[in-house]
Amino acid sequence: MIDFEWYRSFISIYKHRSVSAAAKARILTQPAMSQHLAALEAEIGEPLFIRAPRKMIPTDKGKELYTKIVPLIENLENTTLQMLHSSSGNGRAPVIRIGSPAEYFTIRTLPKIRDLDIRFLSQFGVAGTLLEKLERDEVDLILTTQKTQQQGIEYQKLEDEVFVAVVPPTYETGAGNDAVEIERWLNNQKWLSYGLELPIIRRYWRDHFKKRPDFQPCHVIPDLRSILEGIENGLGMSILPTYLFEKSLLANRVKILFPELTTENTIYAAYKVEHKNSPVIVKVLEALKRKN
């Protein structure tokens, strides 16, 4: 009797063209994946792949099987997920675990998802940590600025953040529009940074001055909202996303310098491919893609 897991392993090998890559995507050992394939081939009575160096090439029978079973299995999985989603289980809404930078979740994400009939378990961290949590199934969906080529992980673009130089309202500069003068003036300011390695500030320098910044931050604060508070209190300046300080700008607690010098950062939603049809993830993604 054919085991349903054999089919899932076969589909993964077909998509990745590699037993090892398929095993990684399914979080199984390579021997287990090979056993699934061998058992399925024994049951069908024909080989489904030609074993080439570093590559699995589907046979005609493999192609035929893939074409026939993929729609059936996807439909079965979708039906199961929909039933779980609509189940009243204790009358409580379904749960999704989201990983995100704290400030982006607070300011950009919460307003978009607040009306969804879904419960959220949130975890905050930097991009690398969030990806590790996603790989270990500690979260279901992450919001990240880094898109990596990772087996079994799918990304969807949400929006582009726009970053500019933000200073206390008392700051003045006579640098004009000359890039050399602007950089010289910026190098002489007190800087607030998310980290010692000057994240996003490095990008700003590279985009507009074609080099790395040549200074150390005066204060390191690993929270953009706290950096904004520091700027409002005259501690220095920084490069911040425009969505973060809209209210402060209107209240004249900060101002933008060199508004023509901007840097963009793309925000992605990432999740495991095997969960892409989850009704909860689909619903959250639809909300996150909506324009404010």
Side-chain angles (χ1 to χ4, degrees):
M1 183 175 180
I2 294 179
D3 189 318
F4 181 71
E5 290 302 309
W6 300 352
Y7 282 135
R8 295 187 66 188
S9 293
F10 163 73
I11 291 172
S12 187
I13 294 170
Y14 192 99
K15 289 179 177 178
H16 294 285
R17 295 295 198 267
S18 163
V19 173
S20 59
K24 185 175 181 180
R26 292 210 61 208
I27 317 180
L28 292 173
T29 64
Q30 188 169 333
M33 187 70 68
S34 297
Q35 289 173 8
H36 287 181
L37 177 60
L40 182 60
E41 289 179 325
E43 191 72 25
I44 290 174
E46 292 187 40
L48 301 173
F49 294 94
I50 298 171
R51 277 73 167 170
R54 302 186 201 172
K55 191 174 184 180
M56 299 286 282
I57 303 171
T59 62
D60 289 341
K61 178 59 71 173
K63 294 176 182 177
E64 179 186 355
L65 180 63
Y66 180 83
T67 302
K68 287 181 177 180
I69 68 170
V70 164
L72 298 175
I73 290 180
E74 287 184 348
N75 184 58
L76 177 61
E77 291 179 338
N78 289 343
T79 300
T80 303
L81 288 169
Q82 288 167 7
M83 290 180 67
L84 288 172
H85 180 62
S86 61
S87 174
S88 59
N90 297 325
R92 305 180 72 182
V95 175
I96 185 171
R97 300 166 299 168
I98 297 181
S100 172
E103 52 278 342
Y104 185 83
F105 183 84
T106 301
I107 298 173
R108 295 295 290 167
T109 304
L110 278 178
K112 295 181 179 181
I113 63 176
R114 63 187 178 189
D115 295 326
L116 298 181
D117 186 26
I118 295 173
R119 291 178 290 149
F120 301 93
L121 299 180
S122 306
Q123 298 186 40
F124 300 141
V126 296
T129 301
L130 294 175
L131 180 59
E132 291 175 359
K133 288 178 177 291
L134 180 63
E135 292 176 324
R136 295 195 299 263
D137 283 320
E138 294 176 10
V139 293
D140 306 304
L141 177 77
I142 64 172
L143 308 178
T144 179
T145 57
Q146 294 183 11
K147 182 180 181 182
T148 60
Q149 297 300 318
Q150 197 80 8
Q151 291 284 3
I153 304 294
E154 185 167 281
Y155 293 83
Q156 289 195 32
K157 179 180 175 178
L158 298 180
E159 63 176 322
D160 288 319
E161 299 176 294
V162 178
F163 288 77
V164 292
V166 183
V167 298
T170 55
Y171 270 42
E172 297 293 342
T173 170
N177 296 319
D178 181 77
V180 174
E181 290 184 12
I182 291 175
E183 186 197 7
R184 185 181 298 119
W185 184 87
L186 289 173
N187 273 323
N188 290 323
Q189 304 311 305
K190 291 182 178 180
W191 281 87
L192 283 70
S193 176
Y194 196 88
L196 283 171
E197 70 281 6
L198 303 176
I200 209 63
I201 296 175
R202 290 200 320 273
R203 172 91 66 85
Y204 185 88
W205 241 257
R206 186 170 64 247
D207 287 349
H208 302 296
F209 309 122
K210 312 305 178 188
K211 62 171 84 168
R212 295 175 63 90
D214 187 24
F215 61 82
Q216 290 294 317
C218 184
H219 305 289
V220 173
I221 309 173
D223 184 283
L224 294 183
R225 294 164 299 178
S226 297
I227 289 178
L228 175 59
E229 187 77 20
I231 295 173
E232 292 179 357
N233 283 280
L235 294 181
M237 67 176 295
S238 193
I239 306 298
L240 295 178
T242 54
Y243 71 78
L244 185 70
F245 59 87
E246 289 175 346
K247 293 180 180 179
S248 297
L249 191 63
L250 290 173
N252 199 36
R253 295 196 297 269
V254 300
K255 70 179 183 181
I256 300 172
L257 283 187
F258 318 117
E260 70 281 3
L261 303 183
T262 64
T263 290
E264 293 190 354
N265 211 23
T266 301
I267 299 291
Y268 300 95
Y271 47 86
K272 286 195 170 181
V273 174
E274 61 195 86
H275 300 147
K276 66 181 296 182
N277 295 316
S278 162
V280 179
I281 288 180
V282 170
K283 193 172 183 179
V284 170
L285 287 174
E286 289 175 350
L288 292 176
K289 289 179 178 179
R290 287 199 295 265
K291 301 293 184 182
N292 283 353

